[in-house]
């Protein structure tokens, strides 16, 4: 055992044991300092020990001042990736493709964890040496987190759920589907979103999803009306969406080309594959 391991190892392992016993799978430096009292670890060595534990694989550094106990530590139930997301930003809600997967509305496995937060919040950025850019996300071990920032008034439609003994926030079914209509690129693609609507149709709260759409924007409301009518929702229930004034046609898939037939009833240009060119 190296001198560094001898100096820091015993007290560091005891600190990890105490954190685990307290259920602190994800913790801040201040909490670790509180639990370090009585381990024989002096204040002057405290930060060096955290650094050593992270470098040795006992802890995972999530962002400045925030750590998780490594999933490789024996006898410790690792923090779920959704649980970690709750600590990376505030507010936070598992959203988009990750929420579709949680609600059982997609058979695809998202390649990253999507997290809805507000534009005012501070999101962690890629570390030095990692891929950068808005689409690269933030890596924690093998998990990549993609933060989708919205105005505070658009952060709604969430619910608290339990994952084991961790309580996390997830966008509810209706908000998740609407996010797919608004940003299909974060849910696979628009075809995946339409398939999710079909999966959710029997239990969909139509009034709630219309209320949500009207809190967002006209384009979202019109796209939703088109989708709900396609699902066979009674036309009389869609009056609020149908009568919403809008200037000009909006593309059904906001990520697709401005081509395809125009639906004057919903003021939607049906730019889906198979419709373009008609």
């Amino acid at each position: 055992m190296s001198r560094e391991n001898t100096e820091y190892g015993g007290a560091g392992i005891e600190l990890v044991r105490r954190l685990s016993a307290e259920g602190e799978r994800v913790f801040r430096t201040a909490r670790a300092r509180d639990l370090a009292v009585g381990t024989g670890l002096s204040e002057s060595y405290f930060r060096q020990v955290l650094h050593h534990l992270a470098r040795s694989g006992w802890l995972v550094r999530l962002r400045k001042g925030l750590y998780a106990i490594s999933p490789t530590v024996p006898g410790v139930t690792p923090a779920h990736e959704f649980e970690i997301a709750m600590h990376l930003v505030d507010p936070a809600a598992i959203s988009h493709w990750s929420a579709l997967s949680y609600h059982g509305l997609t058979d695809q496995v998202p390649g990253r964890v999507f997290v809805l937060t507000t534009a005012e919040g501070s999101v962690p950025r890629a570390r030095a040496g990692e891929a950068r850019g808005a689409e690269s996300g933030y890596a924690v071990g093998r998990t990549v987190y993609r933060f989708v920032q919205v105005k505070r008034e658009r952060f709604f439609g969430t619910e608290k759920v339990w994952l084991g003994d961790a309580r996390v926030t997830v966008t509810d079914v209706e908000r998740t589907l609407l996010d797919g209509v608004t940003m299909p690129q974060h849910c696979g693609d628009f075809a995946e979103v339409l398939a999710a609507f079909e999966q959710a149709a029997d239990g969909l709260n139509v009034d709630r999803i219309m209320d949500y759409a009207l809190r967002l924007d006209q384009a979202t409301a019109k796209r939703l009306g088109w989708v709900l009518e396609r699902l066979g929702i009674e036309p009389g229930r869609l009056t609020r969406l149908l009568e919403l004034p809008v200037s000009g046609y909006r593309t059904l898939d906001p990520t697709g080309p401005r081509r395809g037939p125009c639906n004057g009833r919903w003021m939607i240009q049906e730019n889906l594959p198979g419709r373009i060119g008609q």
Side-chain angles (χ1 to χ4, degrees):
M1 181 178 289
S2 70
R3 178 180 178 183
E4 183 181 47
N5 283 337
T6 302
E7 186 174 3
Y8 298 136
I13 292 171
E14 173 61 16
L15 176 58
V16 172
R17 186 192 67 77
R18 291 190 176 197
L19 287 163
S20 176
E22 292 291 324
E24 301 283 0
R25 292 189 298 265
V26 182
F27 60 91
R28 296 196 174 276
T29 303
R31 177 57 174 156
R33 183 182 287 108
D34 291 342
L35 292 177
V37 176
T39 63
L41 184 63
S42 68
E43 176 64 24
S44 61
Y45 282 110
F46 174 71
R47 289 191 178 275
Q48 288 95 321
V49 167
L50 284 183
H51 175 75
H52 170 73
L53 289 170
R55 192 169 67 179
S56 301
W58 287 86
L59 300 179
V60 177
R61 185 178 182 274
L62 304 180
R63 61 183 305 182
K64 185 176 181 180
L66 183 67
Y67 296 84
I69 298 178
S70 172
T72 63
V73 174
V76 176
T77 302
H80 191 282
E81 57 191 12
F82 290 0
E83 180 183 0
I84 289 175
M86 297 299 102
H87 293 270
L88 291 175
V89 291
D90 181 31
I94 303 304
S95 64
H96 296 83
W97 210 349
S98 300
L100 283 181
S101 179
Y102 171 79
H103 291 300
L105 300 178
T106 178
D107 295 328
Q108 303 298 315
V109 179
R112 58 191 61 196
V113 175
F114 288 88
V115 185
L116 188 71
T117 188
T118 58
E120 297 88 346
S122 172
V123 301
R125 306 295 181 184
R127 303 180 180 94
E130 294 179 344
R132 295 184 178 274
E135 296 301 320
S136 63
Y138 183 75
V140 174
R142 296 182 179 180
T143 303
V144 176
Y145 294 85
R146 173 75 169 89
F147 302 100
V148 182
Q149 294 180 278
V150 296
K151 294 180 179 178
R152 184 164 293 276
E153 59 268 25
R154 290 187 171 216
F155 188 88
F156 63 86
T158 66
E159 59 185 354
K160 299 282 189 180
V161 301
W162 287 97
L163 292 175
D165 56 0
R167 194 158 169 79
V168 304
T169 303
V170 182
T171 53
D172 62 25
V173 168
E174 288 75 22
R175 177 57 195 265
T176 301
L177 291 170
L178 271 187
D179 283 339
V181 168
T182 306
M183 299 181 186
Q185 70 272 28
H186 296 330
C187 296
D189 55 28
F190 203 82
E192 188 74 20
V193 174
L194 290 179
F197 266 95
E198 291 173 358
Q199 286 261 61
D202 289 343
L204 186 64
N205 188 321
V206 175
D207 290 329
R208 178 184 296 164
I209 198 170
M210 289 196 298
D211 287 342
Y212 285 176
L214 292 169
R215 290 177 64 180
L216 293 175
D217 54 66
Q218 295 168 321
T220 299
K222 292 299 184 180
R223 290 174 184 133
L224 175 64
W226 186 97
V227 173
L228 292 179
E229 188 170 71
R230 177 177 179 270
L231 286 179
I233 302 300
E234 192 175 316
R237 299 186 65 185
L238 306 178
T239 302
R240 288 189 295 158
L241 303 181
L242 188 62
E243 294 182 348
L244 185 69
V246 61
S247 58
Y249 285 88
R250 309 303 170 93
T251 54
L252 181 59
D253 177 356
T255 66
R258 280 197 164 275
R259 299 198 302 273
C262 292
N263 183 319
R265 174 174 168 80
W266 289 107
M267 296 301 291
I268 286 293
Q269 188 169 18
E270 299 172 351
N271 61 338
L272 299 179
R275 298 289 289 164
I276 294 175
Q278 294 185 19

